[in-house]
Amino acid sequence: MTIPGTAAEAKQELGRTRRGGRAANAAKRGGDGPFSQPPFRRLRVPFPPTRLISDDELEAIHLASLRVLEEIGIEVLHDEARAIMRRHGADVRDDTQRVHFDAALVMEFIAHCPSEYTVFARNPAHNLSMGGDSIIFAQIASAPNCSDADNGRRPGNQADFRNFVKLAQMHNIIHCLGGYPVEPVDIHPGIRHLECLRDIVTLTDKCFHIYSLGRERNQDGIEIARIVRGVSPEQFRDEPSCFTVINTNSPLKLDVPMMEGIIQMATHGQAIIVTPFTLAGAMAPVTVAGALVEQNAEALAAIAFSQMVRKGAPVGYGGFTSNVDMRSGAPAFGTPEYMKAQIVGGQLARRYGIPYRSSNVCAANTVDAQAAYESVFSLWGCIHGGANFVKHAAGWLEGGLVCSYEKMMLDIDLLQMVAEFLAPLDLSEDALAVEAIREVGPGGHFFGSPHTQARYRDAFYAPLISDWRNYETWTQAGSPTAMEHANRLWKARLAAYEPPPMDAAIREELDDFVERRIREGGAPTDY
Amino acid sequence: MTIPGTAAEAKQELGRTRRGGRAANAAKRGGDGPFSQPPFRRLRVPFPPTRLISDDELEAIHLASLRVLEEIGIEVLHDEARAIMRRHGADVRDDTQRVHFDAALVMEFIAHCPSEYTVFARNPAHNLSMGGDSIIFAQIASAPNCSDADNGRRPGNQADFRNFVKLAQMHNIIHCLGGYPVEPVDIHPGIRHLECLRDIVTLTDKCFHIYSLGRERNQDGIEIARIVRGVSPEQFRDEPSCFTVINTNSPLKLDVPMMEGIIQMATHGQAIIVTPFTLAGAMAPVTVAGALVEQNAEALAAIAFSQMVRKGAPVGYGGFTSNVDMRSGAPAFGTPEYMKAQIVGGQLARRYGIPYRSSNVCAANTVDAQAAYESVFSLWGCIHGGANFVKHAAGWLEGGLVCSYEKMMLDIDLLQMVAEFLAPLDLSEDALAVEAIREVGPGGHFFGSPHTQARYRDAFYAPLISDWRNYETWTQAGSPTAMEHANRLWKARLAAYEPPPMDAAIREELDDFVERRIREGGAPTDY
């Protein structure tokens, strides 16, 4: 038997694809590269999201969050943002920077949010459908460190950053980038966004995120997104081609770079995913319900503001409510409380008709059973919570402090399994197999039956990590754990990377822009 | 920080409980033993099960399975069973042992199945509600081997058998035994059922399973269940107090011990959980739909037969459809195909109004990430499939070939997390926390707020295995994985076992019965 993920297997797969044999199959499944994998596809959840609480209970959270916005208000640190809010009817007190929002005012602007839209990639095959029953998986973002089993944990750097970006491009189940998978601290912060975005848009042809860390970075990112799409500013404004995540400063604070990000992105018609970071017991009440009230108040305020800037601006409603370890204050993820918050968060987003963002996260320090169960619990909450956009879908370890090569491969496998679970069940006459059952009859077996022979190659999802060998064979092979399989796999995969094509004129325009902006000194670093 | 599961922690917990301090809390949470844990409680799923396929699609599976029963039929090896079937209108051909069932006949008898019933334990606090929105977790059954991280893998034996039975008793989240957690092969098979059942009914006071391996074993088990309940045969017949699992010999065969088990259990009013073992590509068609057709045909035949024996006999509809590794034929579990089969299996069971049985299973060889993700995927399928009875809920490893101490503790933690996820969300005015949010205000923090202080001890589920320490502290502690935490935990827990009380007269009656049956030579071993 060939161990999945070894170089030998990669070679064998390559051979099969080239030889024919499995080629037709590989092509059908999107195996257009050196290894076979399911195609890039629009994933849809074939069942309605779970309702963990009743509509009346949901209304209680909704009304409580409107009370927070009316009675307590939000601190808005950005002068122009407050001016925009005042112009649109909010009660702004400049001395305290506090803004109170009337419930009707909030709901009036929330009503302008589009419930579904497309995010355009430079490769149209990688466009994303945001909202409805679609679900999008985005790679991990913003880890300060990275790690692999061979070389351990280290601060982020450009070489690892590029490796992770390549893995995102190679795997069809990663629909888009979510940010910088790891922060390359060896690049000066003033020009980091320019170097990183140039890498992302050349090493991949998928949609991507730009950080809202000051006006210049937003504007540079937006221009890079426009250049690689090769469209006019006017067309670009109607075709969201990048997105940003706006984290509120919980509790109840909206800072300058975040407000600036909303203004820039909304003005240019780019997508804004508002995500309060409401850890119950730290930045939010210790009760899940209370943390959701705060999450909802902050999300509604920032989303309503985006619609004040531009009615119909494409937005997402993000939930990141989880609990903390009450002994240390450290965030916990993939917990029962996190799952509840994920599912009720989805109920809230759908109440407002806004695409919902959640995450595949864990608090584990290594790729052990804990990492797996916290992640699968998170994915469970995503799927049944009706998440449309799953951030940190692959690679996240240690509460987000690490982007792990092995976790990346584990998550890719988990995501592919979830996608297979969501794929429609074939219920054709042929699949129901009454004739095959008749033919085999009582006490027979199906291994050799024509019905099996015609289908067995593609009948089941073939996992990347799972070791299904019997105990004796597995022991003889050195008792490898999932961690070891994942370690072999990322190296084999990365070795097979090929960059996507890019039009030479676009490449030149991109390089000219990036070089000019670098010469100009990039962006201020006092954010 | 105290590492969960160490002896020191067990002692500390004990101290806390005795001192008061956390005593009230411990009592509230059911911490009536030497460690705190959630109470034994009836778990209910607060949302409707997921419908993976439409009602029309479900009907296609239903109709195809009725065609199998009508046109192909089932081989029934038990003479008396065939006679009973003939008496009730089935088309029995004794020369081939083949029985064909008219669709209307099947549905007429299926209609007699009770949709909900109680299974009575000798401790009434441990009675089980079967059906409806209830979910019951049963310990692993029938593993030939056991293992722990210290002493490795070994054949089952009485000492380990007893340890696992004790762990089942100690943990409130394990609602009942599922069989012998590990097969004690050091006890002669003729008297094994007597020794094992005596252990189970004295070391625990929870509901239990008896194996259908010949008439004598069923009758002995039934009598033991009656004795420990201390009730008359008449009362016992109306109060199911033990259960058996009937596995069909897929495809389409019902053997002598299984038919005998149905006859004995139905006659005595004890619960019968019919579970075809339909591995797609081996004993069933390679398509999930085809395997479900076969599962459904076999389940309907055996369940209808139970109602021919006694109308209203308490039954369960079991699904165990999964796929196999097409390279080796080894069963795979916790796969996307398994989850689909779990959820559609639940739709089928509910179509017939019969309580649904599923399982928490995996194919991993060790307690690594694979074991965790396959198990959580299985639990996901159980919960959203509307399973009422989850067999193998704790301890299962290696496709059921091993009962693992560490996996037992991991699963206990996973099950407790699932139970916490299912627990109702507090949406009281107080939990919504608008006043706490007002008091803390923008930019503040909730750690020290009175709202947090009053609740933090019980606000969140405290996991047994998860290591939430930061990377530095975790590294200094030797980078323990979930496997190592689980290893420490089972030893600490087992050391704190105390047997449940048993009335002296009942104990005497039990011992008299068991000793007499042992003197008589037990049961035939030629099954």
Side-chain angles (χ1 to χ4, degrees):
Chain A
M1 203 199 95
T2 316
I3 314 301
T6 57
E9 186 238 8
K11 207 183 276 178
Q12 197 177 29
E13 287 287 333
L14 187 65
R16 278 188 193 133
T17 307
R18 288 202 182 131
R19 268 203 316 278
R22 267 172 108 171
N25 167 23
K28 197 192 79 179
R29 304 185 69 172
D32 48 355
F35 52 88
S36 84
Q37 63 175 326
F40 188 97
R41 51 184 164 172
R42 177 174 176 179
L43 291 181
R44 295 164 179 273
V45 179
F47 41 77
T50 294
R51 290 168 66 246
L52 191 71
I53 62 174
S54 71
D55 288 345
D56 284 352
E57 291 171 323
L58 193 70
E59 210 56 14
I61 294 178
H62 165 69
L63 293 174
S65 57
L66 290 179
R67 275 183 62 204
V68 168
L69 291 177
E70 275 196 2
E71 299 172 14
I72 305 170
I74 303 266
E75 215 170 288
V76 180
L77 308 188
H78 190 285
D79 297 339
E80 187 192 340
R82 284 201 310 282
I84 293 170
M85 290 170 176
R86 179 183 287 119
R87 269 209 308 281
H88 288 87
D91 171 11
V92 176
R93 302 169 196 180
D94 277 329
D95 53 339
T96 59
Q97 304 185 313
R98 194 77 71 99
V99 182
H100 296 254
F101 299 86
D102 180 73
L105 179 76
V106 171
M107 295 311 290
E108 178 197 328
F109 281 94
I110 291 296
H112 293 296
C113 299
S115 58
E116 297 190 41
Y117 52 91
T118 299
V119 185
F120 292 82
R122 74 174 178 91
N123 175 356
H126 290 161
N127 288 354
L128 304 176
S129 293
M130 185 76 155
D133 58 4
S134 287
I135 183 162
I136 296 162
F137 296 131
Q139 195 183 34
I140 181 183
S142 313
N145 305 290
C146 59
S147 77
D148 68 80
D150 303 312
N151 296 305
R153 191 178 188 265
R154 53 195 179 266
N157 59 80
Q158 192 174 34
D160 286 306
F161 167 86
R162 286 177 169 164
N163 281 343
F164 288 119
V165 169
K166 289 174 183 175
L167 289 170
Q169 172 66 12
M170 301 175 80
H171 290 96
N172 291 329
I173 197 68
I174 300 183
H175 297 111
C176 63
L177 281 288
Y180 310 157
V182 69
E183 192 76 28
V185 295
D186 52 350
I187 308 175
H188 188 277
I191 60 162
R192 190 180 298 160
H193 67 292
L194 295 163
E195 293 289 7
C196 286
L197 288 178
R198 175 160 59 180
D199 278 351
I200 285 173
V201 298
T202 52
L203 296 173
T204 88
D205 58 8
K206 295 183 176 180
C207 293
F208 58 96
H209 167 274
I210 62 176
Y211 286 92
S212 290
L213 290 170
R215 180 176 308 183
E216 294 79 2
R217 287 185 183 77
N218 279 111
Q219 288 176 344
D220 287 342
I222 288 168
E223 181 60 6
I224 287 172
R226 190 197 63 74
I227 290 171
V228 297
R229 288 249 4 257
V231 296
S232 69
E234 294 66 36
Q235 185 180 346
F236 184 71
R237 199 171 299 129
D238 293 330
E239 295 184 350
S241 305
C242 60
F243 58 92
T244 196
V245 168
I246 297 295
N247 294 125
T248 56
N249 296 73
S250 306
L252 305 180
K253 237 172 151 169
L254 294 167
D255 69 15
V256 173
M258 294 291 120
M259 291 291 93
E260 186 62 40
I262 293 178
I263 292 170
Q264 291 301 324
M265 297 292 278
T267 303
H268 291 87
Q270 303 304 302
I272 299 160
I273 300 174
V274 174
T275 311
F277 189 29
T278 36
L279 287 178
M283 302 88 101
V286 75
T287 50
V288 171
L292 284 167
V293 166
E294 189 181 298
Q295 167 190 299
N296 199 49
E298 295 177 4
L300 289 180
I303 293 171
F305 174 66
S306 73
Q307 303 302 306
M308 293 175 178
V309 175
R310 189 182 185 215
K311 282 179 189 160
V315 292
Y317 177 112
F320 210 82
T321 294
S322 193
N323 52 312
V324 298
D325 180 352
M326 291 309 298
R327 287 171 301 193
S328 67
F333 295 108
T335 61
E337 294 79 15
Y338 179 72
M339 292 174 75
K340 284 182 174 177
Q342 282 181 292
I343 291 184
V344 178
Q347 291 184 260
L348 286 165
R350 285 187 299 282
R351 188 200 180 288
Y352 308 121
I354 304 175
Y356 178 48
R357 170 249 156 125
S358 190
S359 307
N360 171 20
V361 284
C362 70
N365 286 307
T366 186
V367 185
D368 64 349
Q370 181 187 343
Y373 64 72
E374 289 178 335
S375 276
V376 181
F377 278 133
S378 297
L379 289 171
W380 178 342
C382 286
I383 297 301
H384 289 273
N388 302 109
F389 186 87
V390 179
K391 229 195 155 189
H392 310 304
W396 170 291
L397 205 62
E398 257 191 58
L401 293 178
V402 162
C403 177
S404 153
Y405 282 90
E406 287 80 17
K407 181 68 166 20
M408 185 72 65
M409 300 319 297
L410 181 80
D411 283 332
I412 285 169
D413 207 11
L414 296 179
L415 297 176
Q416 290 185 171
M417 287 189 234
V418 167
E420 186 63 33
F421 168 57
L422 300 177
L425 189 60
D426 181 2
L427 287 156
S428 63
E429 202 52 35
D430 212 39
L432 290 170
V434 173
E435 294 318 311
I437 295 172
R438 191 192 312 273
E439 190 189 300
V440 169
H445 63 83
F446 289 79
F447 269 128
S449 88
H451 186 265
T452 304
Q453 288 301 312
R455 287 166 186 78
Y456 79 92
R457 280 189 184 79
D458 289 321
F460 311 128
Y461 173 70
L464 306 175
I465 305 282
S466 305
D467 195 323
W468 289 344
R469 290 175 292 183
N470 68 35
Y471 182 78
E472 291 70 23
T473 317
W474 174 76
T475 308
Q476 279 159 20
S479 309
T481 64
M483 173 67 140
E484 292 162 58
H485 288 301
N487 178 261
R488 278 196 289 269
L489 187 60
W490 73 258
K491 288 179 274 193
R493 290 282 162 104
L494 201 52
Y497 171 79
E498 285 175 24
M502 178 178 260
D503 179 86
I506 287 180
R507 177 72 204 224
E508 198 183 329
E509 188 182 354
L510 170 70
D511 283 332
D512 286 351
F513 176 78
V514 169
E515 297 305 331
R516 175 173 65 77
R517 290 288 299 124
I518 288 175
R519 280 195 309 276
E520 291 169 2
T525 54
D526 59 348
Y527 58 84
Chain B
M1 205 200 91
T2 315
I3 313 300
T6 58
E9 186 238 9
K11 206 184 274 179
Q12 195 178 29
E13 288 287 334
L14 188 64
R16 277 188 195 133
T17 309
R18 288 206 179 125
R19 266 203 318 278
R22 268 172 106 170
N25 169 23
K28 196 192 80 178
R29 305 186 67 171
D32 48 355
F35 52 87
S36 84
Q37 63 174 327
F40 188 97
R41 51 185 163 170
R42 177 175 176 179
L43 291 181
R44 295 164 179 273
V45 179
F47 41 77
T50 294
R51 290 167 66 244
L52 191 72
I53 61 175
S54 71
D55 288 345
D56 284 351
E57 291 172 323
L58 192 71
E59 210 56 13
I61 295 178
H62 165 70
L63 292 173
S65 58
L66 290 180
R67 275 183 62 204
V68 169
L69 291 177
E70 275 195 2
E71 299 172 13
I72 306 169
I74 303 266
E75 215 170 290
V76 180
L77 308 188
H78 190 285
D79 297 338
E80 187 191 340
R82 283 200 310 281
I84 293 170
M85 291 171 176
R86 180 182 288 118
R87 270 210 306 281
H88 288 87
D91 171 12
V92 176
R93 303 169 198 181
D94 277 329
D95 54 339
T96 58
Q97 304 185 315
R98 194 80 70 102
V99 182
H100 296 253
F101 298 87
D102 180 75
L105 179 75
V106 171
M107 295 312 290
E108 178 197 329
F109 281 95
I110 291 295
H112 293 296
C113 299
S115 58
E116 297 189 41
Y117 52 90
T118 298
V119 185
F120 293 81
R122 75 173 177 90
N123 175 355
H126 291 160
N127 287 356
L128 304 176
S129 293
M130 186 77 155
D133 58 3
S134 287
I135 183 162
I136 296 162
F137 296 131
Q139 195 183 35
I140 181 183
S142 313
N145 305 290
C146 59
S147 77
D148 68 80
D150 303 311
N151 296 307
R153 191 176 187 266
R154 53 194 178 267
N157 59 81
Q158 192 174 35
D160 286 306
F161 168 87
R162 286 178 169 164
N163 281 343
F164 287 119
V165 169
K166 289 175 183 176
L167 289 170
Q169 172 66 11
M170 301 175 80
H171 289 95
N172 292 329
I173 197 68
I174 300 183
H175 296 112
C176 64
L177 281 289
Y180 310 156
V182 69
E183 192 75 29
V185 294
D186 52 350
I187 309 176
H188 188 276
I191 61 162
R192 191 180 297 159
H193 67 292
L194 295 162
E195 293 289 6
C196 286
L197 287 179
R198 175 160 59 179
D199 279 350
I200 285 173
V201 299
T202 53
L203 296 174
T204 88
D205 58 9
K206 297 184 175 179
C207 292
F208 58 96
H209 167 274
I210 63 177
Y211 287 92
S212 290
L213 290 171
R215 181 176 306 183
E216 295 78 2
R217 288 184 183 77
N218 280 112
Q219 288 176 344
D220 287 343
I222 288 168
E223 181 59 7
I224 288 172
R226 190 199 62 76
I227 290 171
V228 299
R229 286 240 18 249
V231 296
S232 69
E234 293 68 34
Q235 184 180 345
F236 184 72
R237 199 170 300 129
D238 292 331
E239 295 184 350
S241 306
C242 60
F243 59 92
T244 196
V245 168
I246 297 295
N247 294 124
T248 56
N249 296 73
S250 307
L252 305 179
K253 237 173 151 169
L254 294 167
D255 69 15
V256 174
M258 294 291 122
M259 291 291 93
E260 187 62 40
I262 292 178
I263 292 170
Q264 291 300 325
M265 297 293 278
T267 304
H268 291 87
Q270 303 303 300
I272 299 160
I273 300 174
V274 174
T275 312
F277 188 29
T278 35
L279 286 178
M283 301 88 100
V286 75
T287 50
V288 171
L292 284 166
V293 166
E294 189 182 297
Q295 168 191 298
N296 199 51
E298 295 177 3
L300 289 180
I303 292 171
F305 174 66
S306 73
Q307 304 301 308
M308 293 175 178
V309 176
R310 189 181 185 217
K311 283 180 189 160
V315 293
Y317 177 112
F320 209 82
T321 294
S322 193
N323 52 312
V324 298
D325 180 350
M326 290 309 298
R327 287 171 300 194
S328 67
F333 296 108
T335 61
E337 294 79 14
Y338 179 72
M339 292 174 76
K340 284 182 174 176
Q342 283 181 292
I343 291 185
V344 178
Q347 291 184 258
L348 286 164
R350 286 187 298 283
R351 189 202 179 288
Y352 308 120
I354 303 175
Y356 178 48
R357 170 249 156 127
S358 190
S359 307
N360 171 20
V361 284
C362 69
N365 286 307
T366 186
V367 185
D368 64 349
Q370 181 186 343
Y373 66 70
E374 289 177 336
S375 276
V376 181
F377 279 132
S378 297
L379 289 171
W380 178 344
C382 286
I383 298 300
H384 288 273
N388 302 110
F389 186 86
V390 179
K391 228 194 157 190
H392 311 304
W396 171 290
L397 205 63
E398 258 191 55
L401 294 178
V402 162
C403 176
S404 153
Y405 282 92
E406 287 81 17
K407 182 66 167 22
M408 185 72 64
M409 300 320 297
L410 181 80
D411 283 332
I412 285 169
D413 206 12
L414 295 179
L415 297 175
Q416 290 185 170
M417 287 189 235
V418 167
E420 186 64 33
F421 167 57
L422 300 177
L425 188 60
D426 181 2
L427 287 155
S428 63
E429 202 52 35
D430 213 39
L432 290 169
V434 174
E435 294 318 310
I437 295 172
R438 192 192 313 273
E439 190 189 300
V440 169
H445 63 83
F446 289 80
F447 268 128
S449 89
H451 186 266
T452 304
Q453 288 300 312
R455 288 168 185 77
Y456 80 91
R457 279 189 186 78
D458 289 322
F460 311 128
Y461 172 71
L464 306 175
I465 305 282
S466 305
D467 195 323
W468 288 344
R469 290 175 292 182
N470 67 35
Y471 181 78
E472 290 71 21
T473 317
W474 174 76
T475 308
Q476 280 159 20
S479 309
T481 64
M483 173 67 141
E484 292 162 59
H485 288 302
N487 177 260
R488 279 197 289 270
L489 187 60
W490 72 258
K491 287 179 274 192
R493 289 281 162 104
L494 201 52
Y497 170 80
E498 284 175 23
M502 178 177 260
D503 179 87
I506 287 180
R507 177 70 205 224
E508 199 183 327
E509 188 182 354
L510 170 70
D511 284 332
D512 286 350
F513 175 79
V514 169
E515 297 304 331
R516 174 173 66 77
R517 291 286 299 123
I518 289 175
R519 279 196 310 274
E520 289 169 3
T525 55
D526 58 348
Y527 58 84

